Amino acid sequence: VAGGATAPPASALDESEEYNGTSWTEGNAINTARFNMTAFGIESAGVLAGVGTPSVSYGGTTELYNGTTWTTGNPYATTASNYRSSCGLATTGLLAGGKAPAPAEMTNAVEEFDGTNWTAGTALPQYQVYSCMAGTQTAAINGGGSKGPAAPGPVTANDISLEYNGASWAAGPNANLYSDRLTSFNGG
C-alpha cells in the first residue's frame, strides 16, 4: 500500500493505492493529507509516520492501516522531524534520523514502535536524513542519504551504512551504491 504525496502546486494528497502484484487500485483515503512521510509494515498491517502539508510543516503523526481503513495512532516523539528512514512490521517498527524545518537541523533520533506506542531507541552515531533502511527492529541496515552536524553546516553524502541489532548500532559495509544524497526509500 502507498499513501500520500504531493501534487502541483505543492498540495498534499490523502489518497492511498494498493498493489496486488499485478496492478494498482484505489484504496481508502488516509486521514491527514501528507507528504515527506515514511512507512513500514505490510498491506494488511501498515504504519504511515510523519506529515508535511502546506499548513503543518512537520509533525510526528502516525496512521495505522488494517488493509481497509486508516486510523490515527499515537505520534512519535521527535515531532519536528520528517524525511526519516524506517523499516519493520506494524508491531515492531523502527524510525531513524530525519530533518526538522528551518534552519533544517538533522537528528540522530531513533524510535521503536510496538503497534501502539513509540519509545526511544539507541541514537544513530551520526546525524542523517534521506537515508535508506531495510530489515526489522532487531536486524536493520541503514545507509545513504546525507549526513552532517545537528545544526546547519556542511552536509555531505552519507557513504557508510550502519547495522542495528535492537540495542546498538555498528558499522556495516561501505555503502558504495548510495551516491545520491536524496535516496530516501525503504523496504525489505
Side-chain angles (χ1 to χ4, degrees), residues 96-121:
K99 179 175 139 180
E105 293 187 0
M106 286 189 233
T107 182
N108 65 345
V110 171
E111 295 177 66
E112 298 174 352
F113 189 63
D114 66 6
T116 303
N117 298 306
W118 294 96
T119 57

Side-chain angles (χ1 to χ4, degrees), residues 82-147:
N82 274 337
Y83 302 106
R84 303 187 83 182
S85 58
S86 67
C87 69
L89 298 173
T91 56
T92 55
L94 185 65
L95 289 179
K99 179 175 139 180
E105 293 187 0
M106 286 189 233
T107 182
N108 65 345
V110 171
E111 295 177 66
E112 298 174 352
F113 189 63
D114 66 6
T116 303
N117 298 306
W118 294 96
T119 57
T122 303
L124 290 161
Q126 66 184 19
Y127 294 88
Q128 63 185 50
V129 65
Y130 307 122
S131 57
C132 311
M133 189 155 55
T136 67
Q137 191 181 85
T138 57
I141 187 165
N142 186 344
S146 298
K147 65 181 178 180

Side-chain angles (χ1 to χ4, degrees), residues 51-115:
V51 61
T53 71
S55 61
V56 180
S57 296
Y58 290 76
T61 65
T62 302
E63 291 196 38
L64 311 173
Y65 191 62
N66 64 11
T68 304
T69 306
W70 292 95
T71 58
T72 301
N74 291 324
Y76 57 81
T78 312
T79 57
S81 191
N82 274 337
Y83 302 106
R84 303 187 83 182
S85 58
S86 67
C87 69
L89 298 173
T91 56
T92 55
L94 185 65
L95 289 179
K99 179 175 139 180
E105 293 187 0
M106 286 189 233
T107 182
N108 65 345
V110 171
E111 295 177 66
E112 298 174 352
F113 189 63
D114 66 6

